[in-house]
Amino acid sequence: MKTAFKRVALVAAAALAIGGISAVSAQATTNDWTVSNVQAGPNVTAGTVTLLSNAETATQIAGPGNYVTLTSINAAYYTVTGGTTTTGTTSGSVSAAAAVVNIATPTVGTITVTSYTIANGAASATATSTVTISVVAALAQTVYGSSQVYAGPGTLVPANSTTDSTFSVSAPSTSLSVANFTVNELDNSATPLALTSGWKAITVSATNGLLSTGPVAAGFPTSLGTTFISGTQTGAGSNEFILSGISGLAGTSTVTISVNGVVAKTYTVTFTGTAVKLVLTAVNPVIAVGTAPVTNITANTNALEVQEFDANGNAVAITPGNITITPAASTTATAGAVSITVGSLGANFLGGTTSGTALSSTVAGVSLNGVAVGTTTFTATDSTTVSGTTLTSAAVSVRVSSATPTSVVFTTDAASYAAGQAGTLTTTLSDAAGTLPAGTYTVFTAGSVVSSYALTVGTLNAAATQTVDDSGVATLSFNAPISDAAAVTISGTAAATTITVTPATFSVASGASDAANAATDAANEATDAANAATDAANAAADSADAATQAAQDAGAKADAALAAVTALSQQVTSVLAKIAGL
């Protein structure tokens, strides 16, 4: 009977091999094994587990002597893909329940055991069960790979990536819990380490202030740590740290966080001392007649900025009620309250704008009221300092404008542009005393601002109003027309006869004109060269004629000399004849 069973199993195995049955079948239908000597996996805890389905996974750590034990539930034929049994085989059969097969796990990889239930001496034609074994170098969350370090202000919110990206802390040296820091240790797949294993030593130091351990969620600890903390973290929350100041010790604190002996990140926290300097700045040096906020005028809102600084030049938190703003001439302008509170739109930034420098604990704004046209100065004082010394700012000048435009002047940043060249149009609004304060004014009839030649890029103001900054100007980027123009004019029609509009004028030279001019210049130069060549040829001909004439003159003279010699010779002969006759 035993021999017959073996024959059936071998025949089944041969049939499976010939038929090309996959080692991992999608048609597994029943359980063939329980598993032991495993580490972890779905429905699996370390140790032993009974499979809950016909296709399960288990995890084991790679090692020369490591293995996973399969204990049969049924008689079955099995194959091993990606590995072997501890006896070196890749297939076999078990005759009944409780038979043991050990699958070796020496190296990292995946091993699949596919089995075919044997009933009445015949193996199933399709796989009835699969066990997939993941062999890993180490279990997830047990081996340190990297770290995440985050910082955040205060302790109300534990540090995270968002608080870290905007981290900036400045606080009085007397402050507790000014910042918190979190260290997350991860494995190589960026998964947080388990709380009980794999952690590396975390060292935190601060050059100024006191550090203590968290957790942040529990609030500030009852006892502060030392300036340096070092240790291996082993429990939840012990990777969080809190920084506090030391009363009277102002300055910059550098917080250094190292993991496993390597610096992971550094942060800077500023601890401020007592105020020794008071600074008043005219953000908007020109305001309008009226009480802030003035309709359509932004200049009067938070027109002045107030700041205090310690001996190190660091901005100190301001107590608005301690500061007084005094005008030299209250008949010209007066000041509102000093404020660091974010208010309605336009009141939470300096200068009455909706962006820029926001009010904060170290930046105060002061709105101004224009009483009459003219100029005055303002001074800030603080007599409530810790030292008892009154701090006084330098005086700043503010001009109160009528805020009634009488002049609109258009100017461009160049007198001439190439076709399509980028330019800037500046519009300046003024009254008789100077530029107008920041705000919006009605100065044109709607749609009247135009260019005498169409701009390539740039939409001119089509509205009747014009909004200017604290210098009384508005700017527009444009690109010049694409065709030649001796004079391009940008102007508009004044909304009232009391307003004078001065247009802007510039010229444009197109690329085609430049090419034509270049061609003309080249032709002229060619003509000049031809004329020069003709002149040279004429000069050469004249020289040749002169040489010929000179040669002819020399020949005539030679003929005359020969004739004279001949005549003389004849006379000598005649004389000699006469002598002979005598």
Side-chain angles (χ1 to χ4, degrees):
M1 183 68 179
K2 190 172 185 181
T3 302
F5 176 79
K6 287 184 177 180
R7 285 176 181 169
V8 169
L10 290 172
V11 170
L16 291 171
I18 294 171
I21 298 298
S22 170
V24 181
S25 172
Q27 286 140 23
T29 58
T30 187
N31 260 351
D32 287 332
W33 312 97
T34 59
V35 183
S36 60
N37 293 323
V38 296
Q39 295 296 325
N43 301 318
V44 177
T45 56
T48 302
V49 66
T50 298
L51 295 179
L52 301 181
S53 72
N54 56 354
E56 280 288 3
T57 62
T59 301
Q60 180 60 284
I61 298 173
N66 295 354
Y67 60 90
V68 171
T69 299
L70 304 184
T71 303
S72 65
I73 297 175
N74 310 297
Y77 171 77
Y78 65 87
T79 61
V80 183
T81 303
T84 68
T85 66
T86 53
T87 59
T89 62
T90 57
S91 64
S93 60
V94 290
S95 59
V100 172
V101 177
N102 291 322
I103 306 299
T105 59
T107 58
V108 173
T110 300
I111 302 172
T112 303
V113 179
T114 306
S115 58
Y116 307 82
T117 299
I118 298 174
N120 299 320
S124 171
T126 59
T128 55
S129 178
T130 59
V131 178
T132 301
I133 302 170
S134 295
V135 187
V136 296
L139 291 180
Q141 299 180 272
T142 63
V143 177
Y144 173 81
S146 62
S147 62
Q148 288 176 332
V149 179
Y150 297 132
T155 56
L156 295 179
V157 177
N160 53 54
S161 59
T162 301
T163 62
D164 189 81
S165 64
T166 58
F167 183 77
S168 178
V169 173
S170 178
S173 61
T174 54
S175 301
L176 299 179
S177 306
V178 299
N180 75 94
F181 308 90
T182 298
V183 183
N184 299 319
E185 297 194 21
L186 314 173
D187 65 12
N188 286 325
S189 64
T191 302
L193 294 178
L195 297 176
T196 57
S197 64
W199 282 80
K200 300 299 182 181
I202 299 174
T203 304
V204 183
S205 65
T207 57
N208 185 6
L210 297 176
L211 286 162
S212 60
T213 56
V216 171
F220 189 75
T222 55
S223 60
L224 292 174
T226 62
T227 303
F228 298 92
I229 296 178
S230 177
T232 301
Q233 312 312 312
T234 57
S238 58
N239 59 326
E240 296 179 339
F241 305 90
I242 298 170
L243 178 68
S244 296
I246 299 175
S247 181
L249 189 58
T252 299
S253 177
T254 300
V255 178
T256 302
I257 300 173
S258 300
V259 181
N260 199 28
V262 178
V263 175
K265 245 177 186 180
T266 60
Y267 296 93
T268 298
V269 174
T270 301
F271 288 113
T272 58
T274 58
V276 296
K277 183 179 181 181
L278 177 60
V279 176
L280 184 66
T281 304
V283 178
N284 288 337
V286 180
I287 64 171
V289 171
T291 300
V294 180
T295 303
N296 296 326
I297 302 295
T298 57
N300 292 46
T301 303
N302 291 327
L304 302 181
E305 176 190 22
V306 178
Q307 283 192 291
E308 291 187 321
F309 298 89
D310 65 11
N312 294 321
N314 296 315
V316 177
I318 294 171
T319 303
N322 293 343
I323 297 175
T324 302
I325 308 296
T326 305
S330 58
T331 54
T332 301
T334 60
V338 178
S339 175
I340 60 173
T341 304
V342 174
S344 59
L345 186 64
N348 50 349
F349 291 92
L350 290 176
T353 62
T354 56
S355 62
T357 303
L359 303 186
S360 66
S361 62
T362 59
V363 176
V366 182
S367 294
L368 298 180
N369 308 313
V371 178
V373 172
T375 300
T376 187
T377 59
F378 286 89
T379 305
T381 56
D382 183 353
S383 58
T384 60
T385 60
V386 174
S387 64
T389 302
T390 297
L391 301 179
T392 303
S393 74
V396 296
S397 178
V398 174
R399 178 168 64 84
V400 180
S401 168
S402 67
T404 301
T406 58
S407 171
V408 180
V409 177
F410 290 109
T411 56
T412 56
D413 61 339
S416 179
Y417 299 94
Q421 182 181 345
T424 300
L425 175 69
T426 299
T427 305
T428 304
L429 306 188
S430 306
D431 62 8
T435 56
L436 297 186
T440 302
Y441 303 87
T442 300
V443 290
F444 304 114
T445 58
S448 67
V449 179
V450 295
S451 171
S452 58
Y453 284 76
L455 300 175
T456 305
V457 176
T459 302
L460 296 174
N461 177 34
T465 58
Q466 181 69 64
T467 300
V468 297
D469 60 17
D470 58 2
S471 297
V473 304
T475 58
L476 169 73
S477 296
F478 69 90
N479 287 78
I482 58 174
S483 58
D484 286 0
V488 178
T489 301
I490 297 177
S491 188
T493 302
T497 58
T498 54
I499 301 175
T500 301
V501 178
T502 302
T505 302
F506 58 89
S507 61
V508 178
S510 71
S513 294
D514 292 342
N517 292 336
T520 300
D521 291 342
N524 290 338
E525 289 176 0
T527 300
D528 292 342
N531 291 337
T534 299
D535 292 342
N538 290 337
D542 291 344
S543 297
D545 291 343
T548 299
Q549 186 63 48
Q552 291 174 348
D553 291 345
K557 291 179 179 179
D559 291 342
L562 181 58
V565 170
T566 301
L568 178 60
S569 175
Q570 291 174 349
Q571 289 178 0
V572 171
T573 300
S574 177
V575 171
L576 290 176
K578 288 179 179 182
I579 292 173
L582 296 175

